[in-house]
Amino acid sequence: MVEWKISKGPIGYEDAAACMEARADAIAAGTAQEMIWLLEHPPLYTAGTSANLVDLVDPERFPVHTSKRGGQYTYHGPGQRVAYVMLDVGKRGRDVRAFVQALEAWVIATLAEFNVTGEIRDGRVGVWVARPDKPVQADGAIAEDKIAAIGIRLRKWVSFHGISINVEPDLEHFTGIVPCGITEHGVTSLVDLGLPVGMDDLDVALKRCFKKTFNPID
């Protein structure tokens, strides 16, 4: 069984990272069960292992934390649901690519609960939505915005870090970085798309779709 933990108040990044790593170590040692931790952070930026300093546009705006997850710069803050996934990938096939694809499928299935079509793009991390309501891109393609980020780390075949989905964050806060190093596309949220979705609504969908996407392990 996967334990689900939901924190109602904002959780500091360093505290969350320490808790994640401790739980991942315990799972690897066989002394704790897998866990999904749903939370929000206060406004902050994180730098993944591939972060480029030039993408930190406004370094004085919010605290900047070095993260052990893969990827580049990401914003976290109120109105964004962060789901930290501490799962035993060793018992789930030892296939990192398949695991990341399962995380993507989980996000896409969750968004579909609200009639939002999330899509994956080659060369771009995260989940994207088409924005036909916006001006087309320079090449004539339909505009696209990012609605969810994905970044994980494995230790002894146990994952930590995870996904984030924008419910109703202050989208202007993303302007302090180049999110994931991508300049030609924007960022959106469920509320920005005109959907009156609350955090509790998303949590219900995340739980339901997780069971559809990830098989239980012994």
Side-chain angles (χ1 to χ4, degrees):
M1 297 292 292
V2 176
E3 177 185 353
W4 287 80
K5 177 180 178 180
I6 302 177
S7 295
K8 294 298 183 181
I11 304 296
Y13 188 80
E14 299 297 339
D15 290 340
C19 289
M20 272 194 292
E21 293 193 39
R23 183 59 174 250
D25 287 343
I27 293 169
T31 58
Q33 65 194 101
E34 297 178 306
M35 185 170 79
I36 307 293
W37 186 10
L38 305 180
L39 56 85
E40 293 175 82
H41 285 303
L44 56 90
Y45 299 127
T46 65
T49 55
S50 302
N52 189 334
L53 188 58
V54 299
D55 291 335
L56 183 58
V57 178
D58 189 355
E60 303 300 324
R61 186 169 192 185
F62 297 127
V64 181
H65 298 271
T66 300
S67 174
K68 295 180 181 178
R69 62 162 175 80
Q72 303 185 50
Y73 281 103
T74 298
Y75 167 76
H76 293 309
Q80 181 191 74
R81 175 53 88 210
V82 175
Y84 287 135
V85 294
M86 287 143 278
L87 299 176
D88 192 334
V89 182
K91 293 183 178 180
R92 293 178 178 275
R94 290 194 173 224
D95 187 331
V96 178
R97 182 185 295 273
F99 180 68
V100 172
Q101 290 173 340
L103 291 174
E104 293 170 342
W106 179 29
V107 173
I108 290 171
T110 299
L111 294 174
E113 295 275 301
F114 306 101
N115 295 316
V116 173
T117 302
E119 299 177 322
I120 304 302
R121 292 289 180 263
D122 289 339
R124 283 194 255 144
V125 180
V127 178
W128 301 79
V129 294
R131 298 301 305 270
D133 55 312
K134 288 188 171 184
V136 297
Q137 300 177 56
D139 61 359
I142 294 174
E144 295 179 337
D145 286 341
K146 188 173 188 176
I147 195 168
I150 298 173
I152 64 165
R153 177 72 181 261
L154 295 183
R155 179 185 293 167
K156 297 180 181 179
W157 286 104
V158 176
S159 67
F160 53 107
H161 295 285
I163 67 172
S164 61
I165 299 176
N166 297 331
V167 179
E168 192 178 8
D170 186 336
L171 296 179
E172 200 274 334
H173 287 179
F174 285 87
T175 62
I177 57 171
V178 178
C180 299
I182 297 170
T183 58
E184 63 270 28
H185 301 283
V187 180
T188 190
S189 68
L190 290 169
V191 171
D192 182 53
L193 292 173
L195 300 168
V197 178
M199 203 65 74
D200 292 343
D201 301 320
L202 183 67
D203 291 348
V204 170
L206 281 167
K207 287 184 178 181
R208 180 164 51 238
C209 293
F210 182 87
K211 293 178 181 178
K212 297 176 182 178
T213 309
F214 289 86
N215 293 324
I217 61 174
D218 295 330

